[in-house]
Amino acid sequence: MTDRKYPVAARLIHWIMALGFVFMWACGYSMTELVEEDSVLEEFLFDLHISVGVTLLALLVLRIVIRLATPPPPLPDTIRGLERTAAHLGHAALYALPALVIALGWAETNFGGHTVQWFGIEIPHVFPETGETLQNLSRNLHRWLAYTMLTVAAIHVAAAYKHRWIDGHDVIRRMTFGRG
């Protein structure tokens, strides 16, 4: 087993993004399922959801740059075959899905004729205003891929704990701070 850890910057961004996406799932669910439509609270949650999404996009880009500049520590040799392939595919999905989910949220906003704002700062349109059909399609894809990402993240956490508590190789340590 390796005792190497991910670079400090990668670990920090990992945990900030994990908290950010937990917030995004809770916020997204709340604003679409629990809060009264067209209310001040719904508008506030939408604005906050979009701003945090833009922040997560910037962190994702930074995380990819760090990943390309500094390869991750190798998996323990005891992780082989299908399990090793699943680990690599899962990690790839945890880079690709956030990018897709954020892009679809941005598209939904622009397709509906709205400007993405980052805490009140307008960001130029990336997608053209096209109307309700593409807005609805991007909204549905955004939602379902967000739930897919939540599922992949839950499997990721479960796999890390399975490796720690059942297999006896503590891959969680590679992404934590401190010793031991």
Side-chain angles (χ1 to χ4, degrees):
M1 170 156 152
T2 179
D3 286 336
R4 283 190 46 216
K5 290 182 175 249
Y6 282 84
V8 172
R11 287 181 274 158
L12 185 61
I13 292 170
H14 171 273
W15 291 110
I16 291 170
M17 289 184 74
L19 290 173
F21 280 112
V22 167
F23 168 80
M24 293 295 278
W25 290 310
C27 182
Y29 181 79
S30 296
M31 69 189 185
T32 59
E33 302 296 331
L34 302 177
V35 174
E36 185 178 327
E37 193 172 332
D38 296 325
S39 69
V40 173
L41 180 56
E42 182 194 44
E43 187 68 30
F44 171 77
L45 290 175
F46 266 104
D47 291 345
L48 187 58
H49 186 82
I50 290 168
S51 293
V52 172
V54 171
T55 303
L56 288 168
L57 177 60
L59 289 171
L60 179 63
V61 170
L62 181 58
R63 187 166 182 195
I64 290 169
V65 168
I66 291 169
R67 175 78 179 238
L68 293 173
T70 56
L75 290 171
D77 291 336
T78 54
I79 299 175
R80 298 177 192 205
L82 185 58
E83 196 171 28
R84 182 173 286 270
T85 300
H88 292 304
L89 291 174
H91 283 112
L94 290 171
Y95 283 91
L97 285 169
L100 288 170
V101 169
I102 293 167
L104 285 163
W106 200 305
E108 175 192 346
T109 302
N110 286 171
F111 287 158
H114 304 285
T115 301
V116 169
Q117 293 190 26
W118 182 68
F119 298 106
I121 299 169
E122 288 192 6
I123 299 175
H125 281 237
V126 175
F127 301 92
E129 181 178 338
T130 58
E132 195 173 330
T133 302
L134 281 178
Q135 182 185 18
N136 289 339
L137 176 63
S138 57
R139 176 185 301 122
N140 290 332
L141 288 171
H142 174 75
R143 177 180 292 195
W144 286 108
L145 284 178
Y147 284 130
T148 301
M149 187 173 81
L150 175 59
T151 302
V152 172
I155 292 168
H156 174 72
V157 170
Y161 280 101
K162 177 242 184 220
H163 286 294
R164 168 67 177 99
W165 297 108
I166 295 174
D167 299 339
H169 36 78
D170 194 359
V171 293
I172 296 171
R173 248 176 28 154
R174 300 165 356 131
M175 194 50 85
T176 59
F177 297 91
R179 298 178 190 195

